[in-house]
Amino acid sequence: MTQTIAIQGIQGSFHYQAAKEYFGQATNVLECSSFDKVAQSIVQEKSQWGVMALENSIAGSILPNYALIDQLGLFIIGEHYIDIQQNLMALPHQKIEEIKEVHSHPMALLQCKQFFQSYPHIKLVEDSDTASSAKRIYDNQLQGIGAIASKAAAETYQLQILAHSIQTMKVNATRFVVLQKAENTIIDKQANKASIKFQVHHKRGSLATVLNVISDCKINMTKIQSLPIIETPWKYAFFVDIIFEKYEDFEKAHKLLSIMAEDFKVLGIYKNKLS
């Protein structure tokens, strides 16, 4: 059976690259115009898995994606990191001075904001995807319009790179997670990383108590992210990534946190790619 992996974007996008590197070239990629459609394709079983960006070393976390994973009952089974090199591209035989607008995904525009301070005549326009911006320029032969995208996108859509690696920080990595439906999950006991979600009571020291439990179970917390709970003003859910050496330590923490924290939920158990 052919593997089908849903991604946000099209061929030449960084999501496409992540999917191919994680699953291998002989995979069927389902192109989606938004992260919501990626998640829905998994829920509706149009795809077995999905690849979704979760955070970037320059621009930070993509907060709505945490909520998508939680609300739709998706489960993280893996992660993949890509070194992101953003490039300014346009149709051949143009100069930067001739470019009036540059289109790309909001995250890419944010990563390259400093570069365009030297080109105040260029208007930055948000688009749904980096590669889609490049493809639209090629399909419509748009003069005076540029895109920020990968080198692969430039090659795929026959565009000329006007400036290489224009992101503000040259070390620019994006973390992607691999998702599937939670009820289809088979836990890998060799896993050493987990993503969890919980709430705490509005009492002094509630969060500190939960974090102490994590520490006492010999578990290292690598990330904590809070999101407001829309239905309950001024209350927050915490999304936390943890790393452990022994799966038994995680199981112990799981039992304790299930009792101590409100709405405790395991969003994923997988192997840490940075270890």
Side-chain angles (χ1 to χ4, degrees):
M1 180 179 176
T2 303
Q3 299 179 106
T4 301
I5 299 94
I7 65 166
Q8 187 273 320
I10 62 174
Q11 183 176 351
S13 68
F14 293 109
H15 277 83
Y16 186 89
Q17 178 183 340
K20 290 294 184 178
E21 289 182 3
Y22 187 90
F23 287 98
Q25 294 299 316
T27 55
N28 180 40
V29 173
L30 175 64
E31 299 174 350
C32 300
S33 60
S34 68
F35 289 123
D36 289 273
K37 291 183 178 179
V38 170
Q40 289 293 344
S41 76
I42 302 170
V43 172
Q44 297 168 5
E45 299 185 348
K46 295 178 181 178
S47 60
Q48 287 85 14
W49 300 279
V51 172
M52 184 180 291
L54 209 53
E55 59 183 309
N56 175 266
S57 59
I58 296 176
S61 299
I62 306 176
L63 298 180
N65 288 355
Y66 285 90
L68 268 179
I69 294 170
D70 178 32
Q71 293 169 3
L72 295 182
L74 302 180
F75 198 83
I76 302 171
I77 62 166
E79 64 179 4
H80 189 69
Y81 291 80
I82 286 183
D83 176 37
I84 304 294
Q85 297 298 311
Q86 302 284 16
N87 305 281
L88 175 60
M89 60 194 67
L91 290 174
H93 313 301
Q94 296 183 94
K95 299 178 181 179
I96 293 182
E97 291 72 20
E98 298 171 320
I99 302 301
K100 299 176 181 178
E101 293 183 0
V102 170
H103 299 202
S104 197
H105 189 276
M107 188 69 73
L109 294 175
L110 182 60
Q111 292 169 12
C112 304
K113 185 177 180 180
Q114 186 172 318
F115 174 84
F116 289 100
Q117 291 178 358
S118 301
Y119 302 95
H121 70 283
I122 295 178
K123 180 182 178 181
L124 302 181
V125 180
E126 294 186 357
D127 205 343
S128 60
D129 178 60
T130 54
S132 294
S133 301
K135 184 176 186 297
R136 189 177 302 109
I137 292 172
Y138 170 75
D139 289 344
N140 298 289
Q141 292 296 291
L142 299 176
Q143 297 284 336
I145 305 295
I148 300 173
S150 67
K151 180 180 178 182
E155 294 171 349
T156 300
Y157 304 112
Q158 301 176 33
L159 300 183
Q160 174 187 350
I161 294 180
L162 301 178
H164 293 263
S165 300
I166 65 172
Q167 67 277 358
T168 301
M169 302 296 292
K170 298 312 172 186
V171 177
N172 179 26
T174 292
R175 176 188 174 220
F176 298 82
V177 291
V178 181
L179 304 165
Q180 68 177 39
K181 292 181 72 171
E183 56 261 39
N184 297 333
T185 302
I186 299 175
I187 303 299
D188 181 0
K189 292 300 179 70
Q190 299 300 313
N192 63 346
K193 186 173 182 179
S195 295
I196 60 176
K197 172 229 174 179
F198 59 84
Q199 301 172 32
V200 294
H201 297 285
H202 270 309
K203 293 191 299 184
R204 186 178 61 187
S206 295
L207 178 58
T209 300
V210 170
L211 299 183
N212 284 336
V213 168
I214 292 174
S215 177
D216 291 344
C217 291
K218 302 177 183 179
I219 290 175
N220 180 34
M221 183 180 69
T222 60
K223 180 179 177 64
I224 182 168
Q225 179 73 57
S226 64
L227 278 181
I229 301 170
I230 298 175
E231 301 83 3
T232 311
W234 313 118
K235 193 166 185 179
Y236 294 83
F238 294 92
F239 294 82
V240 177
D241 287 343
I242 55 178
I243 296 176
F244 44 90
E245 292 184 4
K246 298 179 181 178
Y247 189 78
E248 294 77 13
D249 292 334
F250 170 72
E251 290 182 313
K252 179 181 177 181
H254 187 180
K255 291 178 182 178
L256 293 171
L257 294 175
S258 297
I259 299 170
M260 298 178 59
E262 296 181 56
D263 193 28
F264 178 80
K265 186 177 182 181
V266 178
L267 301 176
I269 303 173
Y270 47 100
K271 292 182 180 179
N272 174 27
K273 285 293 184 177
L274 293 183
S275 61

PDB file of all heavy atoms in Angstrom, residues 11 27 33 41 50 55 60 89 106 121 127 134 145 158 161 173 180 192 201 204 210 240-242:
ATOM      1  N   GLN A  11       5.146  20.871  -4.022  1.00  0.00           N
ATOM      2  CA  GLN A  11       6.509  20.454  -4.353  1.00  0.00           C
ATOM      3  C   GLN A  11       7.433  21.679  -4.358  1.00  0.00           C
ATOM      4  O   GLN A  11       7.108  22.725  -4.898  1.00  0.00           O
ATOM      5  CB  GLN A  11       6.539  19.792  -5.723  1.00  0.00           C
ATOM      6  CG  GLN A  11       7.912  19.264  -6.115  1.00  0.00           C
ATOM      7  CD  GLN A  11       7.889  18.520  -7.446  1.00  0.00           C
ATOM      8  OE1 GLN A  11       6.823  18.256  -7.988  1.00  0.00           O
ATOM      9  NE2 GLN A  11       9.046  18.184  -7.964  1.00  0.00           N
ATOM     10  N   THR A  27       7.262   7.969  -1.677  1.00  0.00           N
ATOM     11  CA  THR A  27       6.050   8.222  -0.910  1.00  0.00           C
ATOM     12  C   THR A  27       5.133   9.143  -1.701  1.00  0.00           C
ATOM     13  O   THR A  27       5.583   9.935  -2.537  1.00  0.00           O
ATOM     14  CB  THR A  27       6.366   8.892   0.448  1.00  0.00           C
ATOM     15  OG1 THR A  27       7.125  10.083   0.219  1.00  0.00           O
ATOM     16  CG2 THR A  27       7.161   7.969   1.342  1.00  0.00           C
ATOM     17  N   SER A  33      -3.472  23.198   1.251  1.00  0.00           N
ATOM     18  CA  SER A  33      -3.281  24.645   1.228  1.00  0.00           C
ATOM     19  C   SER A  33      -3.154  25.265   2.611  1.00  0.00           C
ATOM     20  O   SER A  33      -2.819  26.446   2.728  1.00  0.00           O
ATOM     21  CB  SER A  33      -4.445  25.310   0.479  1.00  0.00           C
ATOM     22  OG  SER A  33      -5.675  25.016   1.115  1.00  0.00           O
ATOM     23  N   SER A  41      -7.128  15.994   6.826  1.00  0.00           N
ATOM     24  CA  SER A  41      -6.864  14.859   5.939  1.00  0.00           C
ATOM     25  C   SER A  41      -6.495  13.609   6.727  1.00  0.00           C
ATOM     26  O   SER A  41      -6.815  12.485   6.329  1.00  0.00           O
ATOM     27  CB  SER A  41      -5.748  15.204   4.945  1.00  0.00           C
ATOM     28  OG  SER A  41      -4.472  15.165   5.568  1.00  0.00           O
ATOM     29  N   GLY A  50       0.799  13.001   8.569  1.00  0.00           N
ATOM     30  CA  GLY A  50       0.957  14.393   8.181  1.00  0.00           C
ATOM     31  C   GLY A  50       2.275  14.922   8.698  1.00  0.00           C
ATOM     32  O   GLY A  50       2.785  14.456   9.725  1.00  0.00           O
ATOM     33  N   GLU A  55       7.891  24.682  15.115  1.00  0.00           N
ATOM     34  CA  GLU A  55       8.657  25.812  15.633  1.00  0.00           C
ATOM     35  C   GLU A  55       9.874  26.084  14.763  1.00  0.00           C
ATOM     36  O   GLU A  55      10.362  25.204  14.048  1.00  0.00           O
ATOM     37  CB  GLU A  55       9.097  25.569  17.080  1.00  0.00           C
ATOM     38  CG  GLU A  55       9.947  24.333  17.285  1.00  0.00           C
ATOM     39  CD  GLU A  55      10.289  24.115  18.747  1.00  0.00           C
ATOM     40  OE1 GLU A  55      10.773  25.063  19.387  1.00  0.00           O
ATOM     41  OE2 GLU A  55      10.085  22.993  19.246  1.00  0.00           O
ATOM     42  N   GLY A  60      10.251  31.354  16.266  1.00  0.00           N
ATOM     43  CA  GLY A  60       9.582  30.765  17.421  1.00  0.00           C
ATOM     44  C   GLY A  60       8.509  29.752  17.055  1.00  0.00           C
ATOM     45  O   GLY A  60       8.503  29.197  15.951  1.00  0.00           O
ATOM     46  N   MET A  89      13.936  35.091  -5.062  1.00  0.00           N
ATOM     47  CA  MET A  89      13.940  34.630  -6.455  1.00  0.00           C
ATOM     48  C   MET A  89      12.886  35.332  -7.277  1.00  0.00           C
ATOM     49  O   MET A  89      11.899  35.868  -6.750  1.00  0.00           O
ATOM     50  CB  MET A  89      13.734  33.113  -6.493  1.00  0.00           C
ATOM     51  CG  MET A  89      12.444  32.640  -5.880  1.00  0.00           C
ATOM     52  SD  MET A  89      12.441  30.836  -5.583  1.00  0.00           S
ATOM     53  CE  MET A  89      13.701  30.679  -4.316  1.00  0.00           C
ATOM     54  N   PRO A 106       4.073  33.959   5.822  1.00  0.00           N
ATOM     55  CA  PRO A 106       4.394  34.934   6.881  1.00  0.00           C
ATOM     56  C   PRO A 106       5.629  34.574   7.690  1.00  0.00           C
ATOM     57  O   PRO A 106       6.405  35.455   8.085  1.00  0.00           O
ATOM     58  CB  PRO A 106       3.136  34.917   7.757  1.00  0.00           C
ATOM     59  CG  PRO A 106       2.037  34.500   6.836  1.00  0.00           C
ATOM     60  CD  PRO A 106       2.657  33.545   5.864  1.00  0.00           C
ATOM     61  N   HIS A 121      11.730  50.005  -1.103  1.00  0.00           N
ATOM     62  CA  HIS A 121      10.773  50.103  -2.209  1.00  0.00           C
ATOM     63  C   HIS A 121       9.999  48.801  -2.418  1.00  0.00           C
ATOM     64  O   HIS A 121       8.994  48.782  -3.135  1.00  0.00           O
ATOM     65  CB  HIS A 121      11.508  50.461  -3.509  1.00  0.00           C
ATOM     66  CG  HIS A 121      12.360  49.360  -4.048  1.00  0.00           C
ATOM     67  ND1 HIS A 121      13.597  49.045  -3.510  1.00  0.00           N
ATOM     68  CD2 HIS A 121      12.164  48.472  -5.061  1.00  0.00           C
ATOM     69  CE1 HIS A 121      14.124  48.040  -4.181  1.00  0.00           C
ATOM     70  NE2 HIS A 121      13.274  47.664  -5.128  1.00  0.00           N
ATOM     71  N   ASP A 127       1.621  35.191   1.835  1.00  0.00           N
ATOM     72  CA  ASP A 127       1.025  34.179   0.965  1.00  0.00           C
ATOM     73  C   ASP A 127       0.884  32.884   1.762  1.00  0.00           C
ATOM     74  O   ASP A 127       1.389  32.766   2.879  1.00  0.00           O
ATOM     75  CB  ASP A 127       1.900  33.969  -0.273  1.00  0.00           C
ATOM     76  CG  ASP A 127       1.126  33.430  -1.463  1.00  0.00           C
ATOM     77  OD1 ASP A 127       0.005  32.925  -1.267  1.00  0.00           O
ATOM     78  OD2 ASP A 127       1.653  33.499  -2.595  1.00  0.00           O
ATOM     79  N   ALA A 134       6.430  30.949  -5.503  1.00  0.00           N
ATOM     80  CA  ALA A 134       7.346  30.749  -6.630  1.00  0.00           C
ATOM     81  C   ALA A 134       6.618  30.189  -7.846  1.00  0.00           C
ATOM     82  O   ALA A 134       6.836  30.636  -8.983  1.00  0.00           O
ATOM     83  CB  ALA A 134       8.475  29.810  -6.207  1.00  0.00           C
ATOM     84  N   ILE A 145       7.818  40.772  -9.604  1.00  0.00           N
ATOM     85  CA  ILE A 145       7.352  40.093  -8.399  1.00  0.00           C
ATOM     86  C   ILE A 145       8.388  39.049  -8.001  1.00  0.00           C
ATOM     87  O   ILE A 145       8.846  38.257  -8.833  1.00  0.00           O
ATOM     88  CB  ILE A 145       5.987  39.401  -8.615  1.00  0.00           C
ATOM     89  CG1 ILE A 145       4.963  40.409  -9.128  1.00  0.00           C
ATOM     90  CG2 ILE A 145       5.512  38.750  -7.316  1.00  0.00           C
ATOM     91  CD1 ILE A 145       4.635  41.516  -8.150  1.00  0.00           C
ATOM     92  N   GLN A 158      11.884  27.177 -12.257  1.00  0.00           N
ATOM     93  CA  GLN A 158      12.742  27.873 -13.221  1.00  0.00           C
ATOM     94  C   GLN A 158      12.870  29.368 -12.925  1.00  0.00           C
ATOM     95  O   GLN A 158      12.718  30.214 -13.804  1.00  0.00           O
ATOM     96  CB  GLN A 158      12.201  27.660 -14.647  1.00  0.00           C
ATOM     97  CG  GLN A 158      12.127  26.189 -15.050  1.00  0.00           C
ATOM     98  CD  GLN A 158      11.505  25.984 -16.412  1.00  0.00           C
ATOM     99  OE1 GLN A 158      11.657  26.816 -17.305  1.00  0.00           O
ATOM    100  NE2 GLN A 158      10.799  24.868 -16.599  1.00  0.00           N
ATOM    101  N   ILE A 161      17.693  32.981  -8.656  1.00  0.00           N
ATOM    102  CA  ILE A 161      17.913  33.439  -7.287  1.00  0.00           C
ATOM    103  C   ILE A 161      18.679  34.758  -7.328  1.00  0.00           C
ATOM    104  O   ILE A 161      19.799  34.829  -7.833  1.00  0.00           O
ATOM    105  CB  ILE A 161      18.678  32.388  -6.463  1.00  0.00           C
ATOM    106  CG1 ILE A 161      17.811  31.123  -6.281  1.00  0.00           C
ATOM    107  CG2 ILE A 161      19.062  32.951  -5.096  1.00  0.00           C
ATOM    108  CD1 ILE A 161      18.475  30.020  -5.476  1.00  0.00           C
ATOM    109  N   ALA A 173      16.815  26.866  11.742  1.00  0.00           N
ATOM    110  CA  ALA A 173      16.278  25.504  11.668  1.00  0.00           C
ATOM    111  C   ALA A 173      14.791  25.492  11.993  1.00  0.00           C
ATOM    112  O   ALA A 173      14.323  26.263  12.832  1.00  0.00           O
ATOM    113  CB  ALA A 173      17.022  24.583  12.630  1.00  0.00           C
ATOM    114  N   GLN A 180      -0.179  11.302  13.220  1.00  0.00           N
ATOM    115  CA  GLN A 180      -1.175  10.338  12.776  1.00  0.00           C
ATOM    116  C   GLN A 180      -2.328  10.367  13.772  1.00  0.00           C
ATOM    117  O   GLN A 180      -2.286  11.072  14.782  1.00  0.00           O
ATOM    118  CB  GLN A 180      -0.587   8.936  12.679  1.00  0.00           C
ATOM    119  CG  GLN A 180      -0.201   8.304  14.011  1.00  0.00           C
ATOM    120  CD  GLN A 180       0.320   6.878  13.835  1.00  0.00           C
ATOM    121  OE1 GLN A 180       1.023   6.582  12.901  1.00  0.00           O
ATOM    122  NE2 GLN A 180      -0.036   6.022  14.766  1.00  0.00           N
ATOM    123  N   ASN A 192      12.471   8.286  23.464  1.00  0.00           N
ATOM    124  CA  ASN A 192      13.058   8.990  24.605  1.00  0.00           C
ATOM    125  C   ASN A 192      12.583  10.437  24.706  1.00  0.00           C
ATOM    126  O   ASN A 192      13.186  11.253  25.412  1.00  0.00           O
ATOM    127  CB  ASN A 192      14.585   8.953  24.530  1.00  0.00           C
ATOM    128  CG  ASN A 192      15.125   9.678  23.305  1.00  0.00           C
ATOM    129  OD1 ASN A 192      14.390   9.991  22.368  1.00  0.00           O
ATOM    130  ND2 ASN A 192      16.420   9.942  23.303  1.00  0.00           N
ATOM    131  N   HIS A 201      -4.277  24.384  38.494  1.00  0.00           N
ATOM    132  CA  HIS A 201      -5.204  25.186  39.277  1.00  0.00           C
ATOM    133  C   HIS A 201      -4.655  26.597  39.461  1.00  0.00           C
ATOM    134  O   HIS A 201      -3.445  26.824  39.441  1.00  0.00           O
ATOM    135  CB  HIS A 201      -5.433  24.550  40.652  1.00  0.00           C
ATOM    136  CG  HIS A 201      -6.071  23.200  40.586  1.00  0.00           C
ATOM    137  ND1 HIS A 201      -7.401  23.013  40.301  1.00  0.00           N
ATOM    138  CD2 HIS A 201      -5.553  21.956  40.765  1.00  0.00           C
ATOM    139  CE1 HIS A 201      -7.690  21.729  40.314  1.00  0.00           C
ATOM    140  NE2 HIS A 201      -6.579  21.058  40.590  1.00  0.00           N
ATOM    141  N   ARG A 204      -1.173  29.339  44.086  1.00  0.00           N
ATOM    142  CA  ARG A 204       0.258  29.632  44.126  1.00  0.00           C
ATOM    143  C   ARG A 204       1.081  28.347  44.125  1.00  0.00           C
ATOM    144  O   ARG A 204       0.824  27.427  44.890  1.00  0.00           O
ATOM    145  CB  ARG A 204       0.577  30.439  45.384  1.00  0.00           C
ATOM    146  CG  ARG A 204       2.031  30.925  45.460  1.00  0.00           C
ATOM    147  CD  ARG A 204       2.263  31.747  46.707  1.00  0.00           C
ATOM    148  NE  ARG A 204       2.017  30.946  47.916  1.00  0.00           N
ATOM    149  CZ  ARG A 204       2.012  31.454  49.144  1.00  0.00           C
ATOM    150  NH1 ARG A 204       2.191  32.751  49.320  1.00  0.00           N
ATOM    151  NH2 ARG A 204       1.806  30.677  50.178  1.00  0.00           N
ATOM    152  N   VAL A 210       4.078  20.851  39.451  1.00  0.00           N
ATOM    153  CA  VAL A 210       4.082  19.936  38.302  1.00  0.00           C
ATOM    154  C   VAL A 210       5.486  19.805  37.718  1.00  0.00           C
ATOM    155  O   VAL A 210       5.947  18.702  37.405  1.00  0.00           O
ATOM    156  CB  VAL A 210       3.094  20.427  37.221  1.00  0.00           C
ATOM    157  CG1 VAL A 210       3.258  19.629  35.940  1.00  0.00           C
ATOM    158  CG2 VAL A 210       1.661  20.312  37.723  1.00  0.00           C
ATOM    159  N   VAL A 240       4.297  20.974  26.752  1.00  0.00           N
ATOM    160  CA  VAL A 240       5.655  20.757  27.252  1.00  0.00           C
ATOM    161  C   VAL A 240       6.312  19.589  26.501  1.00  0.00           C
ATOM    162  O   VAL A 240       5.677  18.555  26.264  1.00  0.00           O
ATOM    163  CB  VAL A 240       5.635  20.444  28.767  1.00  0.00           C
ATOM    164  CG1 VAL A 240       7.030  20.138  29.280  1.00  0.00           C
ATOM    165  CG2 VAL A 240       5.027  21.614  29.541  1.00  0.00           C
ATOM    166  N   ASP A 241       7.568  19.769  26.122  1.00  0.00           N
ATOM    167  CA  ASP A 241       8.380  18.686  25.562  1.00  0.00           C
ATOM    168  C   ASP A 241       9.350  18.211  26.632  1.00  0.00           C
ATOM    169  O   ASP A 241       9.991  19.033  27.301  1.00  0.00           O
ATOM    170  CB  ASP A 241       9.171  19.156  24.342  1.00  0.00           C
ATOM    171  CG  ASP A 241       8.293  19.356  23.124  1.00  0.00           C
ATOM    172  OD1 ASP A 241       7.160  18.840  23.119  1.00  0.00           O
ATOM    173  OD2 ASP A 241       8.734  20.032  22.170  1.00  0.00           O
ATOM    174  N   ILE A 242       9.460  16.899  26.783  1.00  0.00           N
ATOM    175  CA  ILE A 242      10.347  16.330  27.792  1.00  0.00           C
ATOM    176  C   ILE A 242      11.191  15.215  27.175  1.00  0.00           C
ATOM    177  O   ILE A 242      10.774  14.561  26.220  1.00  0.00           O
ATOM    178  CB  ILE A 242       9.557  15.774  29.002  1.00  0.00           C
ATOM    179  CG1 ILE A 242       8.501  14.758  28.525  1.00  0.00           C
ATOM    180  CG2 ILE A 242       8.890  16.907  29.773  1.00  0.00           C
ATOM    181  CD1 ILE A 242       7.713  14.119  29.662  1.00  0.00           C
TER     182      ILE A 242
END
